Amino acid sequence: MSLFSSMNVSATGMTAQRLRMDTISENIANVNTTRGENGEPYRRKSVVFEEITQNNSFKSMLNSYLNDSSAGGVKVSSIYEDQSAFIQTYDPTHPDADEEGYVSMPNVNTIEEMTNLISANRSYEANITAFNATKSMISSALNIGK
């Protein structure tokens, strides 16, 4: 794996973690949304990552050899809605309350979302550190020739 391939792996990791942070931010922003487009409360969304794998055809292997892009990386394979039950809260004055006074609130746990946000932020920082280390190695290699 070349230095540029390792930079590509870090870049794909940063892109995936940024999308994860955006999704978590959307969950936190909609923690009190009791009625969405479909008439139901907001459902928590989660991101699923997948390894970028190489195609084993001759053409793709030749291109990866010529372009030196044999490294994989990570990509977002899907974003799914959590189908767990909504949180029932007693508030008879709420406009979305049922006949018994209960309101269906989104299935978003703010503490869990903040924990996931910290995790995504640390993963993003780790990718930045790896990217900068690779950049520093390339710079040092260029300075050897001087």
Side-chain angles (χ1 to χ4, degrees), residues 110-132:
T110 309
I111 296 170
E112 181 181 343
E113 296 300 322
M114 289 303 294
T115 305
N116 289 338
L117 188 60
I118 291 169
S119 171
N121 189 28
R122 297 279 167 89
S123 296
Y124 189 87
E125 289 173 357
N127 281 305
I128 288 174
T129 302
F131 188 87
N132 287 335

Side-chain angles (χ1 to χ4, degrees), residues 33-90:
T33 304
T34 57
R35 190 179 324 157
E37 294 175 358
N38 59 359
E40 288 187 339
Y42 177 81
R43 287 204 178 269
R44 177 182 180 271
K45 294 179 181 159
S46 293
V47 177
V48 177
F49 295 142
E50 179 181 19
E51 177 187 5
I52 297 174
T53 56
Q54 299 295 326
N55 187 357
N56 289 331
S57 69
F58 179 76
K59 180 181 178 182
S60 67
M61 292 180 86
L62 181 62
N63 284 336
S64 69
Y65 176 75
L66 293 175
N67 298 327
D68 197 23
S69 62
S70 58
V74 66
K75 66 179 180 178
V76 174
S77 63
S78 66
I79 298 175
Y80 71 94
E81 289 186 351
D82 186 0
Q83 296 299 316
S84 63
F86 294 121
I87 300 168
Q88 298 295 322
T89 336
Y90 183 73

